[in-house]
Amino acid sequence: TTMLRVNCFFHANEGCFDEALQAAMALTAKSQLHQGCKAYDVFESATRPDVFMFCETWLDEESLALHEQTPEFAEYAGILSKCGTLKIEKFEF
C-alpha cells in the first residue's frame, strides 16, 4: 500500500510566530484523530526562530483530502495563511 508523507514548512511574518504555533498545535491535536492519519506532528526549527514544520503521514490520498475538508483545517489553515507563508512537499512511499 502506498502512503503519503506531507512536509509543510511554515515561515512566520514578523510578530506572528506565537499565534501561528498555537494554531499549528491545535490543528495537530485534531488532525491526529482524523481517519487515515498515521502520524502528524509539528516541529520548531533549531536554527530559524520564525520557522516550524508539519510532518504528516496519511494512509492514502482520500484520507488527506477528507482531512483538508474538515472545519478545523479551514479554521487553522486560515490563521496560518494570515500569519505567514507555507511551502508544501508531498511524497508517496
Side-chain angles (χ1 to χ4, degrees), residues 42-74:
V42 63
F43 300 90
E44 289 185 67
S45 173
T47 57
R48 297 180 63 189
D50 55 354
V51 171
F52 60 77
M53 177 191 126
F54 293 97
C55 184
E56 311 170 26
T57 305
W58 295 93
L59 180 63
D60 52 28
E61 196 72 54
E62 183 183 8
S63 299
L64 177 59
L66 289 172
H67 158 71
E68 291 172 347
Q69 294 168 22
T70 62
E72 56 264 33
F73 182 87

Short mmCIF file of all heavy atoms in Angstrom, two decimals, residues 42-74:
data_model
loop_
_atom_site.label_atom_id
_atom_site.label_comp_id
_atom_site.label_asym_id
_atom_site.label_seq_id
_atom_site.Cartn_x
_atom_site.Cartn_y
_atom_site.Cartn_z
N VAL A 42 4.23 18.64 14.72
CA VAL A 42 4.78 19.94 14.33
C VAL A 42 6.11 20.10 15.06
O VAL A 42 6.24 19.76 16.23
CB VAL A 42 3.78 21.09 14.62
CG1 VAL A 42 3.47 21.23 16.09
CG2 VAL A 42 4.28 22.39 14.06
N PHE A 43 7.12 20.59 14.32
CA PHE A 43 8.48 20.72 14.84
C PHE A 43 8.97 22.15 14.64
O PHE A 43 8.86 22.69 13.54
CB PHE A 43 9.43 19.77 14.10
CG PHE A 43 9.07 18.33 14.23
CD1 PHE A 43 8.23 17.72 13.32
CD2 PHE A 43 9.56 17.57 15.29
CE1 PHE A 43 7.88 16.38 13.45
CE2 PHE A 43 9.22 16.23 15.42
CZ PHE A 43 8.38 15.64 14.51
N GLU A 44 9.54 22.74 15.69
CA GLU A 44 10.15 24.06 15.57
C GLU A 44 11.58 23.92 15.06
O GLU A 44 12.30 23.00 15.44
CB GLU A 44 10.18 24.75 16.93
CG GLU A 44 8.82 25.18 17.43
CD GLU A 44 8.92 25.97 18.72
OE1 GLU A 44 9.47 27.09 18.69
OE2 GLU A 44 8.47 25.46 19.76
N SER A 45 12.01 24.85 14.22
CA SER A 45 13.38 24.86 13.72
C SER A 45 14.36 25.18 14.84
O SER A 45 14.12 26.08 15.64
CB SER A 45 13.52 25.90 12.60
OG SER A 45 14.87 26.03 12.23
N ALA A 46 15.48 24.47 14.86
CA ALA A 46 16.55 24.75 15.82
C ALA A 46 17.45 25.89 15.34
O ALA A 46 18.23 26.43 16.12
CB ALA A 46 17.39 23.50 16.04
N THR A 47 17.34 26.26 14.07
CA THR A 47 18.24 27.26 13.51
C THR A 47 17.55 28.54 13.07
O THR A 47 18.20 29.56 12.89
CB THR A 47 18.99 26.68 12.29
OG1 THR A 47 18.03 26.23 11.33
CG2 THR A 47 19.89 25.53 12.71
N ARG A 48 16.23 28.50 12.89
CA ARG A 48 15.48 29.68 12.45
C ARG A 48 14.31 29.92 13.39
O ARG A 48 13.39 29.11 13.46
CB ARG A 48 14.99 29.49 11.01
CG ARG A 48 16.15 29.34 10.03
CD ARG A 48 15.66 29.14 8.62
NE ARG A 48 14.92 30.31 8.17
CZ ARG A 48 14.22 30.34 7.03
NH1 ARG A 48 14.16 29.28 6.26
NH2 ARG A 48 13.59 31.43 6.67
N PRO A 49 14.32 31.04 14.13
CA PRO A 49 13.29 31.27 15.15
C PRO A 49 11.90 31.54 14.59
O PRO A 49 10.94 31.58 15.35
CB PRO A 49 13.82 32.48 15.93
CG PRO A 49 14.71 33.18 14.96
CD PRO A 49 15.31 32.11 14.09
N ASP A 50 11.78 31.73 13.27
CA ASP A 50 10.49 32.07 12.68
C ASP A 50 9.93 30.93 11.82
O ASP A 50 9.02 31.13 11.02
CB ASP A 50 10.60 33.35 11.85
CG ASP A 50 11.70 33.27 10.79
OD1 ASP A 50 12.47 32.28 10.77
OD2 ASP A 50 11.80 34.21 9.98
N VAL A 51 10.47 29.71 11.98
CA VAL A 51 10.08 28.58 11.13
C VAL A 51 9.67 27.38 11.97
O VAL A 51 10.31 27.05 12.98
CB VAL A 51 11.26 28.19 10.19
CG1 VAL A 51 10.97 26.88 9.45
CG2 VAL A 51 11.55 29.30 9.20
N PHE A 52 8.59 26.73 11.54
CA PHE A 52 8.27 25.39 12.03
C PHE A 52 7.78 24.55 10.87
O PHE A 52 7.60 25.04 9.76
CB PHE A 52 7.28 25.40 13.20
CG PHE A 52 5.93 26.01 12.93
CD1 PHE A 52 4.95 25.34 12.23
CD2 PHE A 52 5.62 27.27 13.43
CE1 PHE A 52 3.71 25.88 12.01
CE2 PHE A 52 4.37 27.84 13.23
CZ PHE A 52 3.42 27.14 12.51
N MET A 53 7.61 23.26 11.12
CA MET A 53 7.24 22.33 10.06
C MET A 53 6.23 21.31 10.57
O MET A 53 6.38 20.78 11.66
CB MET A 53 8.50 21.59 9.59
CG MET A 53 8.25 20.56 8.54
SD MET A 53 9.73 19.55 8.31
CE MET A 53 9.03 17.95 8.56
N PHE A 54 5.21 21.07 9.76
CA PHE A 54 4.32 19.93 9.99
C PHE A 54 4.92 18.73 9.26
O PHE A 54 5.37 18.85 8.12
CB PHE A 54 2.94 20.17 9.36
CG PHE A 54 2.13 21.26 10.01
CD1 PHE A 54 2.12 22.53 9.46
CD2 PHE A 54 1.38 21.00 11.13
CE1 PHE A 54 1.35 23.54 10.03
CE2 PHE A 54 0.61 22.00 11.71
CZ PHE A 54 0.60 23.27 11.15
N CYS A 55 4.90 17.59 9.92
CA CYS A 55 5.29 16.33 9.28
C CYS A 55 4.10 15.39 9.44
O CYS A 55 3.73 15.04 10.55
CB CYS A 55 6.54 15.77 9.96
SG CYS A 55 7.16 14.29 9.16
N GLU A 56 3.49 15.03 8.31
CA GLU A 56 2.26 14.26 8.31
C GLU A 56 2.44 12.97 7.52
O GLU A 56 3.10 12.96 6.49
CB GLU A 56 1.13 15.05 7.65
CG GLU A 56 0.99 16.46 8.14
CD GLU A 56 0.01 17.27 7.29
OE1 GLU A 56 -0.90 16.67 6.67
OE2 GLU A 56 0.16 18.50 7.23
N THR A 57 1.81 11.89 7.98
CA THR A 57 1.74 10.64 7.22
C THR A 57 0.28 10.22 7.14
O THR A 57 -0.40 10.13 8.17
CB THR A 57 2.57 9.53 7.88
OG1 THR A 57 3.91 9.99 8.06
CG2 THR A 57 2.59 8.27 7.01
N TRP A 58 -0.18 10.00 5.91
CA TRP A 58 -1.57 9.66 5.64
C TRP A 58 -1.65 8.31 4.94
O TRP A 58 -0.79 7.97 4.12
CB TRP A 58 -2.24 10.74 4.79
CG TRP A 58 -2.32 12.03 5.53
CD1 TRP A 58 -1.43 13.06 5.49
CD2 TRP A 58 -3.32 12.40 6.47
NE1 TRP A 58 -1.83 14.05 6.35
CE2 TRP A 58 -2.98 13.67 6.96
CE3 TRP A 58 -4.47 11.78 6.94
CZ2 TRP A 58 -3.76 14.33 7.91
CZ3 TRP A 58 -5.24 12.45 7.88
CH2 TRP A 58 -4.90 13.71 8.35
N LEU A 59 -2.71 7.57 5.25
CA LEU A 59 -2.92 6.25 4.67
C LEU A 59 -3.02 6.33 3.15
O LEU A 59 -2.48 5.48 2.44
CB LEU A 59 -4.20 5.63 5.25
CG LEU A 59 -4.58 4.24 4.76
CD1 LEU A 59 -3.51 3.23 5.13
CD2 LEU A 59 -5.93 3.83 5.33
N ASP A 60 -3.72 7.35 2.66
CA ASP A 60 -3.92 7.48 1.22
C ASP A 60 -4.37 8.90 0.87
O ASP A 60 -4.60 9.72 1.75
CB ASP A 60 -4.94 6.44 0.70
CG ASP A 60 -6.25 6.46 1.48
OD1 ASP A 60 -6.63 7.52 2.04
OD2 ASP A 60 -6.90 5.41 1.54
N GLU A 61 -4.49 9.17 -0.42
CA GLU A 61 -4.88 10.49 -0.91
C GLU A 61 -6.28 10.86 -0.42
O GLU A 61 -6.56 12.02 -0.11
CB GLU A 61 -4.83 10.47 -2.44
CG GLU A 61 -4.83 11.82 -3.10
CD GLU A 61 -3.53 12.60 -2.95
OE1 GLU A 61 -2.47 12.07 -3.31
OE2 GLU A 61 -3.59 13.74 -2.48
N GLU A 62 -7.18 9.88 -0.34
CA GLU A 62 -8.54 10.13 0.12
C GLU A 62 -8.56 10.62 1.57
O GLU A 62 -9.28 11.56 1.91
CB GLU A 62 -9.38 8.85 -0.01
CG GLU A 62 -10.83 9.04 0.38
CD GLU A 62 -11.65 7.76 0.31
OE1 GLU A 62 -11.08 6.67 0.10
OE2 GLU A 62 -12.87 7.88 0.48
N SER A 63 -7.75 10.00 2.43
CA SER A 63 -7.68 10.43 3.83
C SER A 63 -7.18 11.87 3.94
O SER A 63 -7.71 12.66 4.73
CB SER A 63 -6.74 9.51 4.61
OG SER A 63 -7.20 8.19 4.60
N LEU A 64 -6.17 12.20 3.16
CA LEU A 64 -5.64 13.57 3.16
C LEU A 64 -6.70 14.56 2.67
O LEU A 64 -6.90 15.62 3.27
CB LEU A 64 -4.39 13.66 2.29
CG LEU A 64 -3.78 15.05 2.13
CD1 LEU A 64 -3.39 15.65 3.47
CD2 LEU A 64 -2.58 14.98 1.19
N ALA A 65 -7.43 14.19 1.62
CA ALA A 65 -8.47 15.06 1.08
C ALA A 65 -9.58 15.29 2.12
O ALA A 65 -10.06 16.42 2.28
CB ALA A 65 -9.05 14.46 -0.19
N LEU A 66 -9.98 14.25 2.84
CA LEU A 66 -11.01 14.40 3.87
C LEU A 66 -10.52 15.30 5.00
O LEU A 66 -11.27 16.13 5.52
CB LEU A 66 -11.41 13.02 4.41
CG LEU A 66 -12.22 12.16 3.44
CD1 LEU A 66 -12.40 10.74 4.01
CD2 LEU A 66 -13.58 12.78 3.17
N HIS A 67 -9.26 15.14 5.39
CA HIS A 67 -8.64 16.00 6.41
C HIS A 67 -8.73 17.47 6.00
O HIS A 67 -9.08 18.34 6.80
CB HIS A 67 -7.20 15.56 6.60
CG HIS A 67 -6.28 16.58 7.17
ND1 HIS A 67 -6.35 16.99 8.48
CD2 HIS A 67 -5.24 17.27 6.60
CE1 HIS A 67 -5.40 17.90 8.70
NE2 HIS A 67 -4.72 18.08 7.58
N GLU A 68 -8.45 17.73 4.73
CA GLU A 68 -8.43 19.11 4.23
C GLU A 68 -9.82 19.72 4.12
O GLU A 68 -9.96 20.92 3.91
CB GLU A 68 -7.70 19.15 2.88
CG GLU A 68 -6.21 18.88 3.02
CD GLU A 68 -5.49 18.73 1.69
OE1 GLU A 68 -6.16 18.60 0.64
OE2 GLU A 68 -4.25 18.76 1.71
N GLN A 69 -10.86 18.90 4.25
CA GLN A 69 -12.25 19.38 4.18
C GLN A 69 -12.87 19.60 5.56
O GLN A 69 -14.02 20.02 5.65
CB GLN A 69 -13.10 18.39 3.38
CG GLN A 69 -12.72 18.31 1.92
CD GLN A 69 -13.38 17.14 1.21
OE1 GLN A 69 -14.39 16.62 1.65
NE2 GLN A 69 -12.78 16.71 0.11
N THR A 70 -12.12 19.35 6.63
CA THR A 70 -12.68 19.49 7.97
C THR A 70 -12.75 20.96 8.39
O THR A 70 -11.96 21.78 7.94
CB THR A 70 -11.85 18.71 9.01
OG1 THR A 70 -10.53 19.26 9.04
CG2 THR A 70 -11.81 17.22 8.69
N PRO A 71 -13.71 21.29 9.28
CA PRO A 71 -13.83 22.68 9.76
C PRO A 71 -12.56 23.16 10.47
O PRO A 71 -12.17 24.32 10.33
CB PRO A 71 -15.00 22.64 10.72
CG PRO A 71 -15.72 21.37 10.46
CD PRO A 71 -14.76 20.43 9.80
N GLU A 72 -11.91 22.27 11.23
CA GLU A 72 -10.71 22.69 11.94
C GLU A 72 -9.56 22.99 10.97
O GLU A 72 -8.78 23.91 11.19
CB GLU A 72 -10.28 21.68 13.01
CG GLU A 72 -10.04 20.28 12.53
CD GLU A 72 -11.27 19.38 12.73
OE1 GLU A 72 -12.41 19.88 12.65
OE2 GLU A 72 -11.06 18.17 12.96
N PHE A 73 -9.46 22.24 9.88
CA PHE A 73 -8.43 22.53 8.89
C PHE A 73 -8.67 23.93 8.31
O PHE A 73 -7.75 24.74 8.22
CB PHE A 73 -8.42 21.48 7.78
CG PHE A 73 -7.34 21.73 6.75
CD1 PHE A 73 -6.06 21.24 6.94
CD2 PHE A 73 -7.60 22.47 5.61
CE1 PHE A 73 -5.06 21.49 6.02
CE2 PHE A 73 -6.62 22.73 4.68
CZ PHE A 73 -5.34 22.22 4.87
N ALA A 74 -9.92 24.24 7.96
CA ALA A 74 -10.24 25.55 7.40
C ALA A 74 -9.90 26.66 8.40
O ALA A 74 -9.30 27.67 8.05
CB ALA A 74 -11.71 25.61 7.01
#
